Amino acid sequence: MKISARNIFEGNISALTSGPVSAEVEIITAGGDKLVGTITQGSVASLGLAVGKPVVALIKASNVMVMTDGSGVKLSARNCLAGTVKKLLQGPVSAEVIIALPGGAEVFASITRDATNELGIKEGGPATAVIKASSVIIGVKS
């Protein structure tokens, strides 16, 4: 599969909570990270999703927010993946931040250059990737 999404996580469904319109899909990645995505019931059915099924979670880098100090902050975003800034590549307008997670995975974020300066993002420093559940696309291998 070739795709433009920079974040591709393989894992297994650990929980599936159904609602009248949408479902919440919890995935445990190979590195032990937990991701939560919300998708339609139609997608659950067409993909044949069930607990234990292997899936792929896709997230565009532009849908990843970066937080450097979350002390005392509660967020509605279901996915907060804490790690260390592995690489910071700055352009004149935007920057790419690569956050290494403890389980070995990497999260790519595309944010503004001003945000990297305001947040004090530095290679080797702590950072958390913040991803809304609605930004997680779930796929299965055929």
Side-chain angles (χ1 to χ4, degrees), residues 66-122:
V66 178
M67 180 170 60
T68 55
D69 180 13
S71 58
V73 176
K74 290 186 179 183
L75 301 173
S76 64
R78 295 298 309 277
N79 302 293
C80 294
L81 304 171
T84 303
V85 177
K86 178 179 178 179
K87 187 168 185 173
L88 173 61
L89 180 61
Q90 297 230 25
V93 176
S94 62
E96 179 179 76
V97 181
I98 303 173
I99 301 171
L101 302 179
E106 295 177 346
V107 181
F108 295 82
S110 177
I111 63 176
T112 65
R113 181 185 178 104
D114 287 347
T116 64
N117 295 332
E118 291 168 10
L119 294 170
I121 295 174
K122 304 277 185 229

